[in-house]
């Protein structure tokens, strides 16, 4: 359940970041040209981002977590570094595959950066939710 919540929140956060970065303020808009507002951009983007996170990101996350356990590191920093590298590589790989499927849209570097960013948003949100859940659990067990 935690993993599914992380996927949903990651999709929302990633889409929000993308929508904000593509937003053009009214002072920069040209006359008689239609510009999408934040909510329209967010809605269109979440339609594409959500399924990718759920159908690709969720299974990859399970695979990466099982793979990172095999590195058997006691250090939290080393475990974080392993997860960061694996999630980043997976995000870049998904970006490249997405580029291959939708080739005429953009260049491979753009899709790699998007995949890298999306996977790292998921990883760091997952780590944050784990820390928050552990703190909540400790508070409940103290009482």
């Amino acid at each position: 359940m935690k993993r599914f919540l992380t996927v949903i929140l990651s999709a929302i956060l990633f889409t929000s970041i993308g929508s904000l970065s593509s937003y053009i303020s009214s002072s920069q808009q040209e006359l008689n040209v239609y510009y999408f507002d934040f909510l329209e951009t967010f809605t269109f983007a979440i339609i594409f981002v959500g399924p990718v996170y759920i159908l690709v990101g969720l299974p990859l996350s399970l695979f990466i977590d099982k793979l990172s356990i095999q590195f058997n590191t006691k250090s939290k920093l080393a475990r974080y570094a392993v997860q960061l590298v694996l999630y980043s590589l997976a995000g870049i790989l998904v970006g490249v595959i997405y580029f291959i499927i939708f080739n005429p849209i953009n260049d491979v570097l753009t899709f790699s950066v998007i995949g890298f960013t999306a996977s790292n948003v998921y990883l760091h949100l997952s780590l944050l939710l784990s820390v928050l859940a552990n703190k909540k659990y400790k508070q409940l067990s103290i009482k």
Side-chain angles (χ1 to χ4, degrees), residues 3 5-6 14 16 21 36 41 43 49 68 72 74 79 90 99-100 105 109 113-114 116-117 130 133 135-136 142-143:
R3 198 175 301 270
L5 176 65
T6 305
F14 180 73
S16 297
S21 68
F36 288 115
T41 305
T43 303
V49 169
S68 67
N72 199 14
K74 300 281 184 200
R79 188 170 45 243
F99 165 74
I100 291 168
I105 295 175
L109 182 61
V113 169
I114 290 170
F116 174 86
T117 305
S130 293
K135 284 184 180 182
K136 187 70 172 175
I142 291 173
K143 294 179 181 178

Side-chain angles (χ1 to χ4, degrees), residues 12-23:
I12 291 169
L13 180 61
F14 180 73
T15 303
S16 297
I17 292 168
S19 297
L20 281 173
S21 68
S22 67
Y23 178 73

Side-chain angles (χ1 to χ4, degrees), residues 47-58 94 98:
I47 289 170
F48 294 102
V49 169
V52 173
Y53 261 105
I54 292 170
L55 298 175
V56 178
L58 195 57
V94 169
Y98 207 77

Side-chain angles (χ1 to χ4, degrees), residues 5-138:
L5 176 65
T6 305
V7 164
I8 298 300
L9 292 175
S10 297
I12 291 169
L13 180 61
F14 180 73
T15 303
S16 297
I17 292 168
S19 297
L20 281 173
S21 68
S22 67
Y23 178 73
I24 298 173
S25 67
S26 58
S27 64
Q28 295 176 332
Q29 294 178 359
E30 296 180 26
L31 290 174
N32 298 324
V33 176
Y34 182 78
Y35 292 91
F36 288 115
D37 64 9
F38 172 80
L39 191 57
E40 289 172 318
T41 305
F42 179 86
T43 303
F44 287 125
I46 200 75
I47 289 170
F48 294 102
V49 169
V52 173
Y53 261 105
I54 292 170
L55 298 175
V56 178
L58 195 57
L60 272 176
S61 169
L62 290 167
F63 175 73
I64 290 170
D65 289 346
K66 287 184 181 185
L67 187 63
S68 67
I69 289 171
Q70 293 182 357
F71 283 94
N72 199 14
T73 59
K74 300 281 184 200
S75 166
K76 287 184 180 182
L77 183 61
R79 188 170 45 243
Y80 169 74
V82 167
Q83 287 180 326
L84 183 64
V85 168
L86 291 175
Y87 273 94
S88 297
L89 289 174
I92 291 169
L93 178 65
V94 169
V96 169
I97 292 170
Y98 207 77
F99 165 74
I100 291 168
I101 294 171
F102 299 106
N103 192 0
I105 295 175
N106 250 329
D107 62 325
V108 70
L109 182 61
T110 302
F111 280 100
S112 297
V113 169
I114 290 170
F116 174 86
T117 305
S119 65
N120 278 285
V121 165
Y122 175 85
L123 169 64
H124 290 91
L125 194 59
S126 174
L127 293 173
L128 176 65
L129 289 176
S130 293
V131 168
L132 293 175
N134 287 339
K135 284 184 180 182
K136 187 70 172 175
Y137 177 75
K138 286 179 183 177

